[in-house]
Amino acid sequence: MAEAASQDLLLAAAFVSDAQYNRNIPFKTSPEAVRLYYLYNHWIMRTATYFFIFLNLSLAVFEEPAVYPLPFLVTSVAEVLCLLVFFGRLTHFAKVTHRNVFWKDTKNICIMVAILLSLTDLAIYGVLRIYNVRSIRWSRIVRPIFLINFAESRQIRRAFRSIRNTLPEITYVFLLFMFSLLMFSLMALKLFGERNLQTAEGLPYFKNYLEIVFDLYVLVTTANSPDVMMPAFDFSSWYALFFIAFVIVNTYIFMSLFLAVVYNNYKKHLKNEIRKLAYMKHRKMIEAFNLLKEEGGAQFVVREARWKQLVKLVAPDISNSHRELLLHISDNEQKGFIDKKSFVQLADLLNIQVVTLKIRSHPLGQWMPGVYKSAVSRFLRSMVRHRGFVWTYDVIILINAIFIALDEESPYISYAEWVFLALYIIEILLKVYTYEPRAFFGKNQFWNWFDTLIIFAALTATILNTTLKSTTKYNSQQILDIVFILRVLRLIRIVDSIQRFRVIMNTLINIVPTMLTFGGLTLVVYCIFAIIGMELFHGKIQFFPANSNAPHALECGNPALKDSLFARGKYCKNNFNNFASSFIVLMELTVVNQWHDILSLLPLTPVILFANGFANVTVQPAKLYFIAFHIVMVIIIVNIFVSFILEAFFVEYSLEKSEVETAIEQKIQELGMGVQEDELQDEQLLDNMESAEHDSEGEGGTKPQSKGLVFKIASKRYRTVDALLQRMFEAEIPLEDEGPSFEEILNLSPTASVPSNLTSESAA
């Protein structure tokens, strides 16, 4: 009986943990499978998986064409090791999930196919290499599949699903845009083709229809404006109306329409994804409750002792006082049990960051109480706490910014720098004197750490540079660069002094996890296009130092680029000769400016040179590679990222406390242990307080009312767009509605409004 209860507790903890972290893996519920599932989700296993995923991707840096060449044997052994780890991870996943679920999951099939293709290609490439036959490592293009399809990368998969679901709507707009582009190109051919106009380089102007389509497509990005217009404009000022109309229709209307369509569909599909997560979390919490429930009069409940054991398993790192606080919230009337409604909120309670604070006296108050508590000391500390102290140093920072922009060689400017350094050091010392040092340098006090490190690093670098200049004629430019950078970084301190700036900073902090998701998405696209680009353009363009005497050094190693804007513009280093250079070129293409310069040799601005340059040293259809990248990266992915930024700001400005947050704050205030958030601004730290993750209270304590202990909910920085949308949808799920089964939730259509078996009016 005890063993069965222990197994039920372990299974319930797995359900609650999944609900807390929004995992939707339908694992087996046998005791052995549950233990394997815990191991599968252990942070070491997840970290190791990510390590080998990025190791596998980074092999392209060391493989031919390599940035840092390594022997083929080394890279092949490393790749085989990565593939073995991936296969082991996949096997582990198969052990914890049902067989029918595993084989129906497309991502598992993708991983197995990618492993098989990689091993096959590696074997073929190795055999051909023995016989000195050059071949292509075509399997490298499938390496990003491992980043996308492992269970840990659900956020990246969600982003790809958003793109996939948005594509149909984008396609219609894109076809309409292409129709407009082709129509304008045809008009341009008829208007300018027979005028015998020439570009500034003496080349025919708008003679070839396909070239016109490409040039006008580039004009949509404004990269070749006004260069592309000038021959016609020089011929007649009236022709400017054609280009103005084109820009208005295609750049301002169609590009804005792209963003509107992407944003609308992204938001719709994101809500559907979050709705699915909300049902999954609700279902898992109900399953956990059903495992632990006991009869408690007219309803089923979870006993207090059982609840404590569960929370200890799910969140072993939270302090005893924090755990007791959560118990007081869940069992509000102190009945000794938790009902179903309160139990279902446990995952949300664990996700809300509650900061435990211990009241401590300042060390100087203990060592020198007479001095520290004197009238002069109290006046000095009140002055430091006053808002005027912050404003004074904001003004000093702004004055320092003016001096930074002035001539560094002037001796008066150098002396002023020492004055500013002294003022900043005095500020730090005054704050440490006023606020308890452990509180001032607490782990959550980012700006205090930033401030102190910047000031003392600048002081050290300045002293070192001054010493070197005075004792020797040596002048280290690296040290000077460090000093200049540190001096400029001080200006960042002013950001936290203005409330509206803090709102923006909070928003930026909130979107960091999703920015990492889009970073992974961008990495996938970059890897694929970089590998394709290396196979298409490797060795076509070479970079030579300025004093090189190599043949065709001025033409980037290719006579086809003679007298081209690409060569004259010194774009030779923008090539696909290795993985790093390919990434840099793709970054330049993402920024848009100069992308068409890579493409051709036409007499336009450097933007067209990228595409035309590579087309000139290969074939003209090579431009399709760059156009495809622009469509995928700039029109689709960047617009989705902009959509997320818009949504994040809308949420940040409209965010209100949830019911769970309100309950926590009310309970903290009822216990008389509350701290108002506005009392804990970075520049207005509570005196004698320090963050602490653990306290020394024993297990026998029943109330988090230890002497000198208080709580507060952390700032809004932990809130995310996903969390808000999930909270909005969860409010529509009635408690008595246990929702669809796991299988029905997993098979939920991304376009359906609600599961088919839900009859609740509020959910519909």
Side-chain angles (χ1 to χ4, degrees):
M1 187 70 179
E3 184 178 354
S6 176
Q7 292 174 357
D8 287 344
L9 183 65
L10 197 65
L11 179 57
F15 282 133
V16 174
S17 180
D18 278 5
Q20 181 184 0
Y21 296 108
N22 286 323
R23 290 192 290 260
N24 58 357
I25 301 174
F27 60 92
K28 297 177 185 176
T29 56
S30 64
E32 181 184 358
V34 171
R35 291 186 178 87
L36 283 173
Y37 186 61
Y38 272 98
L39 178 62
Y40 183 86
N41 289 317
H42 196 278
W43 69 270
I44 293 179
M45 301 293 287
R46 290 186 282 109
T47 303
T49 303
Y50 276 121
F51 171 78
F52 283 101
I53 287 174
F54 286 105
L55 175 61
N56 191 44
L57 290 174
S58 66
L59 288 177
V61 178
F62 308 101
E63 297 169 334
E64 295 181 359
V67 182
Y68 305 104
L70 287 177
F72 172 72
L73 182 61
V74 175
T75 57
S76 58
V77 169
E79 183 171 5
V80 170
L81 176 63
C82 292
L83 296 176
L84 288 174
V85 171
F86 299 154
F87 182 75
R89 186 69 169 167
L90 193 64
T91 304
H92 192 168
F93 186 77
K95 290 289 186 181
V96 301
T97 56
H98 299 281
R99 180 174 299 179
N100 61 331
V101 174
F102 179 85
W103 290 107
K104 285 182 181 179
D105 197 334
T106 309
K107 64 178 182 289
N108 299 329
I109 307 300
C110 288
I111 293 173
M112 285 189 290
V113 171
I115 292 174
L116 183 61
L117 290 176
S118 298
L119 289 173
T120 304
D121 179 44
L122 184 61
I124 294 173
Y125 183 83
V127 171
L128 293 176
R129 185 182 176 89
I130 293 174
Y131 293 98
N132 295 321
V133 178
R134 187 184 183 278
S135 62
I136 297 174
R137 284 298 312 277
W138 47 266
S139 69
R140 294 194 296 178
I141 202 171
V142 305
R143 287 176 181 172
I145 287 177
F146 300 116
L147 178 61
I148 299 170
N149 286 288
F150 272 111
E152 292 82 0
S153 303
R154 58 184 179 274
Q155 298 289 348
I156 297 179
R157 286 195 300 278
R158 182 192 300 175
F160 270 105
R161 282 196 298 269
S162 296
I163 293 173
R164 182 190 64 197
N165 295 328
T166 305
L167 278 180
E169 296 296 331
I170 293 180
T171 302
Y172 290 116
V173 180
F174 184 76
L175 291 175
L176 192 58
F177 162 72
M178 289 304 299
F179 176 77
S180 172
L181 180 65
L182 295 173
M183 290 292 295
F184 272 97
S185 299
L186 186 59
M187 286 189 285
L189 178 64
K190 296 303 179 183
L191 280 174
F192 312 121
E194 303 300 327
R195 305 289 182 186
N196 293 323
L197 301 178
Q198 293 182 335
T199 64
E201 282 74 20
L203 298 176
Y205 179 73
F206 278 12
K207 286 282 189 179
N208 183 288
Y209 182 68
L210 293 179
E211 292 290 346
I212 295 172
V213 172
F214 173 72
D215 292 339
L216 292 183
Y217 181 84
V218 175
L219 180 59
V220 172
T221 69
T222 70
N224 59 350
S225 177
D227 304 56
V228 71
M229 181 185 76
M230 294 312 297
F233 186 56
D234 290 341
F235 183 80
S236 174
S237 299
W238 290 104
Y239 285 142
L241 296 176
F242 170 83
F243 293 95
I244 292 172
F246 177 84
V247 169
I248 290 174
V249 171
N250 294 282
T251 301
Y252 294 111
I253 295 179
F254 272 106
M255 291 300 105
S256 299
L257 193 59
F258 270 121
L259 177 59
V261 169
V262 169
Y263 175 69
N264 183 60
N265 283 274
Y266 166 79
K267 186 174 181 179
K268 179 177 69 176
H269 293 296
L270 176 63
K271 284 186 177 180
N272 287 336
E273 292 275 355
I274 298 300
R275 172 175 54 85
K276 183 176 175 180
L277 289 178
Y279 272 111
M280 180 64 77
K281 182 170 82 170
H282 186 76
R283 180 73 192 187
K284 284 183 179 277
M285 292 305 300
I286 294 295
E287 291 288 335
F289 179 82
N290 290 337
L291 286 168
L292 304 178
K293 67 183 180 182
E294 301 176 16
E295 287 191 13
Q299 61 179 340
F300 286 103
V301 296
V302 175
R303 298 296 176 186
E304 180 180 307
R306 197 78 161 148
W307 184 92
K308 285 184 177 181
Q309 291 175 331
L310 175 68
V311 175
K312 258 196 163 183
L313 276 176
V314 176
D317 295 330
I318 67 173
S319 64
N320 294 327
S321 299
H322 186 181
R323 193 179 303 118
E324 292 294 334
L325 174 66
L326 298 183
L327 177 61
H328 277 68
I329 296 165
S330 299
D331 183 14
N332 191 36
E333 298 179 2
Q334 304 300 300
K335 296 179 179 179
F337 58 79
I338 291 86
D339 59 19
K340 186 176 183 180
K341 180 180 179 180
S342 299
F343 185 89
V344 170
Q345 292 180 331
L346 177 59
D348 292 325
L349 285 173
L350 293 172
N351 277 329
I352 293 177
Q353 184 181 353
V354 177
V355 179
T356 307
L357 301 158
K358 285 184 177 179
I359 299 178
R360 301 179 184 272
S361 59
H362 199 288
L364 293 178
Q366 299 176 350
W367 301 339
M368 299 182 296
V371 176
Y372 192 73
K373 297 179 181 179
S374 65
V376 175
S377 176
R378 288 199 303 271
F379 173 77
L380 183 62
R381 284 182 281 141
S382 64
M383 181 185 68
V384 173
R385 290 193 184 95
H386 195 274
R387 189 64 186 170
F389 184 81
V390 178
W391 292 341
T392 300
Y393 269 90
D394 287 346
V395 172
I396 291 174
I397 291 172
L398 292 175
I399 296 173
N400 190 192
I402 297 173
F403 276 81
I404 290 174
L406 297 177
D407 184 14
E408 176 67 19
E409 298 300 324
S410 171
Y412 297 105
I413 302 299
S414 300
Y415 297 150
E417 174 61 21
W418 284 105
V419 173
F420 285 117
L421 274 174
L423 289 174
Y424 293 142
I425 293 172
I426 291 172
E427 178 196 17
I428 295 296
L429 294 176
L430 285 174
K431 286 183 176 180
V432 173
Y433 178 79
T434 301
Y435 307 118
E436 204 277 327
R438 286 169 292 183
F440 185 78
F441 292 112
K443 68 174 184 177
N444 294 322
Q445 302 301 332
F446 168 78
W447 288 108
N448 295 334
W449 279 102
F450 176 84
D451 220 11
T452 305
L453 291 175
I454 288 296
I455 290 170
F456 282 97
L459 177 63
T460 303
T462 304
I463 292 174
L464 182 59
N465 186 62
T466 304
T467 304
L468 290 174
K469 288 173 65 176
S470 61
T471 58
T472 67
K473 293 183 179 180
Y474 172 77
N475 186 9
S476 173
Q477 185 60 43
Q478 288 77 15
I479 295 177
L480 286 175
D481 292 342
I482 293 173
V483 173
F484 294 150
I485 291 172
L486 292 173
R487 289 170 62 188
V488 173
L489 285 177
R490 293 182 213 155
L491 302 178
I492 300 177
R493 297 172 59 226
I494 203 169
V495 170
D496 201 53
S497 301
I498 301 174
Q499 176 62 31
R500 303 311 296 176
F501 284 177
R502 277 202 297 270
V503 171
I504 296 173
M505 289 297 295
N506 286 346
T507 303
L508 293 176
I509 293 172
N510 285 343
I511 66 177
V512 164
T514 305
M515 286 179 70
L516 294 177
T517 297
F518 282 98
L521 188 63
T522 302
L523 179 64
V524 169
V525 175
Y526 272 35
C527 284
I528 293 173
F529 275 90
I531 291 169
I532 295 174
M534 286 191 295
E535 298 297 344
L536 291 175
F537 308 117
H538 173 252
K540 303 296 182 183
I541 293 175
Q542 301 289 337
F543 171 74
F544 298 92
N547 57 353
S548 175
N549 295 322
H552 307 297
L554 297 178
E555 293 86 29
C556 302
N558 197 313
L561 295 176
K562 185 177 181 180
D563 297 328
S564 68
L565 284 182
F566 188 95
R568 293 207 308 267
K570 299 185 183 301
Y571 289 100
C572 303
K573 210 165 188 178
N574 291 304
N575 55 57
F576 287 89
N577 294 342
N578 57 57
F579 200 61
S581 296
S582 302
F583 258 63
I584 293 172
V585 172
L586 294 177
M587 174 58 70
E588 293 171 346
L589 296 176
T590 305
V591 177
V592 174
N593 192 30
Q594 266 91 346
W595 74 271
H596 62 292
D597 290 350
I598 298 182
L599 282 171
S600 78
L601 304 174
L602 294 182
L604 301 174
T605 60
V607 181
I608 292 180
L609 290 179
F610 273 42
N612 287 343
F614 282 97
N616 193 71
V617 298
T618 52
V619 290
Q620 289 302 312
K623 294 178 182 179
L624 296 176
Y625 167 86
F626 297 91
I627 293 174
F629 178 81
H630 180 266
I631 292 171
V632 172
M633 192 67 214
V634 178
I635 293 182
I636 298 178
I637 294 180
V638 170
N639 274 329
I640 286 182
F641 182 68
V642 171
S643 301
F644 174 79
I645 298 294
L646 290 173
E647 190 70 9
F649 269 90
F650 292 155
V651 168
E652 182 68 27
Y653 281 92
S654 62
L655 200 58
E656 296 179 356
K657 288 187 174 74
S658 68
E659 180 182 348
V660 176
E661 291 175 88
T662 304
I664 292 178
E665 289 189 340
Q666 287 178 349
K667 180 55 64 176
I668 290 174
Q669 298 303 326
E670 285 176 13
L671 295 172
M673 307 175 73
V675 181
Q676 296 298 324
E677 188 170 339
D678 56 3
E679 295 176 6
L680 287 167
Q681 301 295 340
D682 289 338
E683 295 293 348
Q684 292 178 321
L685 295 172
L686 279 183
D687 191 17
N688 306 330
M689 304 187 78
E690 173 183 290
S691 298
E693 291 217 12
H694 302 276
D695 58 80
S696 57
E697 182 182 2
E699 191 64 38
T702 58
K703 292 185 179 182
Q705 294 181 335
S706 306
K707 182 179 179 181
L709 195 65
V710 293
F711 301 96
K712 82 177 186 75
I713 289 184
S715 67
K716 295 180 180 179
R717 295 181 179 183
Y718 73 93
R719 294 166 175 164
T720 63
V721 177
D722 288 4
L724 175 69
L725 292 175
Q726 187 167 324
R727 192 179 78 199
M728 290 168 57
F729 189 76
E730 283 174 337
E732 301 175 358
I733 305 177
L735 178 65
E736 62 274 8
D737 180 11
E738 297 192 3
S741 65
F742 288 137
E743 186 175 355
E744 289 172 322
I745 295 172
L746 290 174
N747 295 326
L748 194 61
S749 169
T751 57
S753 57
V754 291
S756 57
N757 65 330
L758 289 182
T759 56
S760 167
E761 187 174 335
S762 62

